[in-house]
Amino acid sequence: MGGPSSKGGKGKKPEISDHLLTVRRRLHDALSLGIKLSDGKVKRWQSKDIDIQSHALKMMNAFLSCIPSNMLQHPLIQDSVLDMVVALGGILQSENNNILSLAADVSQKLVTTLGNTIHRYPVLDITVSLSHLLSSSQLPVAISSAIALNHILANLGPTRGKVVKEVWDALDKADSVGSVVCALQNYVGGTQPTEYFFVMITLLESILRKWPLSRYPVWSNRELMINLQRKCADSEISIAISALKLCSALGISSMVILLFCPFVL
């Protein structure tokens, strides 16, 4: 799939190493086993074979580990990223727990690698799939999905526009807010990793700040607000601070926050 390495120099694209070209070729060989053209000649991941899915995910992980940050603008890298986005959109719908765990990890790695360039890619399918995985009984899958979603939201760009609306519609349809609220209500320190609480509350804060209309269903949830009040007074300062930030995102006045957590004075 690769060609000769680009030559460096002023005004020219960064050079792609022979190793990266080799890994890229292996990636595309793996992706070609599952990506097919569907109606309207649109690329879709269509393989449900576990071995093919696993192989593709491992090649994606290897490729992402090889990409220098200064190569993200290169056309060959961008083409590969597009194919990975297509593949993940399908693989994240797998019913196999091992595949889902690996796919969630790769999705997290992809979006963190892309950083603020993610808005250039059609990540809607990934967003939909990750939203449904927030309620996964596998905590590592739920955690990776929440982290990935938060990165996507943070790098969508302006709060207005077609893409932002599509993402919100996807989150709303999957009841993402409800899934996160349920996670926060059910969080019990000591029996679940603290990271679970942090990533869920951070994701909810991001959603509330980007889409203010989502605040009321959260603010009006009495059980959550009682739990949030307790967290504001938690002896673990990082948990208390996270809870206070969520209060702020909810638009709760500083006076109410102080009532929740008087020790901040």
Side-chain angles (χ1 to χ4, degrees):
M1 295 297 294
S5 298
S6 302
K7 300 297 183 181
K10 185 177 180 180
K12 296 184 178 180
K13 298 179 178 65
E15 180 179 353
I16 297 182
S17 68
D18 291 338
H19 174 65
L20 182 54
L21 286 172
T22 298
V23 176
R24 180 179 181 271
R25 183 173 62 252
R26 292 172 181 168
L27 168 68
H28 282 267
D29 287 345
L31 295 181
S32 67
L33 298 174
I35 293 180
K36 308 296 179 185
L37 293 178
S38 62
D39 297 340
K41 296 184 177 181
V42 177
K43 286 184 176 181
R44 297 287 184 191
W45 180 269
Q46 298 183 14
S47 175
K48 294 185 179 180
D49 184 278
I50 294 175
D51 290 333
I52 290 177
Q53 292 177 339
S54 177
H55 179 53
L57 289 168
K58 289 176 182 177
M59 290 301 99
M60 282 189 259
N61 188 55
F63 181 70
L64 288 169
S65 297
C66 293
I67 305 175
S69 58
N70 66 332
M71 297 298 299
L72 291 175
Q73 307 297 330
H74 197 288
L76 290 180
I77 302 301
Q78 292 179 337
D79 286 346
S80 298
V81 170
L82 278 170
D83 283 345
M84 285 192 289
V85 168
V86 170
L88 285 171
I91 297 175
L92 282 166
Q93 298 178 45
S94 173
E95 296 180 357
N96 182 278
N97 288 336
N98 291 332
I99 292 297
L100 282 179
S101 180
L102 184 54
D105 286 343
V106 172
S107 298
Q108 179 186 339
K109 189 171 184 176
L110 173 65
V111 299
T112 53
T113 298
L114 292 178
N116 59 13
T117 68
I118 196 170
H119 67 278
R120 301 175 184 174
Y121 298 95
V123 295
L124 187 59
D125 286 346
I126 292 181
T127 302
V128 171
S129 297
L130 291 172
S131 298
H132 287 291
L133 292 178
L134 290 174
S135 57
S136 173
S137 58
Q138 297 185 82
L139 293 190
V141 171
I143 289 172
S144 292
S145 298
I147 293 173
L149 272 176
N150 200 44
H151 275 283
I152 291 173
L153 299 186
N155 291 288
L156 277 180
T159 56
R160 295 183 181 182
K162 180 181 178 182
V163 174
V164 173
K165 183 181 185 304
E166 288 177 340
V167 168
W168 168 246
D169 287 344
L171 293 174
D172 190 34
K173 187 174 181 179
D175 191 25
S176 301
V177 171
S179 295
V180 177
V181 166
C182 183
L184 292 175
Q185 285 176 317
N186 296 332
Y187 173 76
V188 180
T191 63
Q192 298 166 320
T194 307
E195 184 185 13
Y196 183 61
F197 171 80
F198 285 131
V199 298
M200 288 299 176
I201 202 167
T202 300
L203 175 59
L204 184 56
E205 181 190 350
S206 295
I207 293 174
L208 297 177
R209 292 192 185 281
K210 207 164 194 70
W211 294 283
L213 290 179
S214 64
R215 293 175 182 174
Y216 180 73
V218 180
W219 179 82
S220 60
N221 185 309
R222 186 173 181 274
E223 183 179 348
L224 175 64
M225 296 309 296
I226 292 174
N227 196 16
L228 186 60
Q229 178 180 354
R230 293 178 182 143
K231 291 294 183 289
C232 284
D234 197 280
S235 59
E236 176 59 54
I237 189 65
S238 57
I239 289 179
I241 290 175
S242 294
L244 286 167
K245 286 182 178 178
L246 184 59
C247 286
S248 175
L250 282 167
I252 298 176
S253 71
S254 58
M255 181 61 70
V256 174
I257 294 176
L258 290 176
L259 289 173
F260 276 180
C261 191
F263 73 79
V264 296
L265 288 173

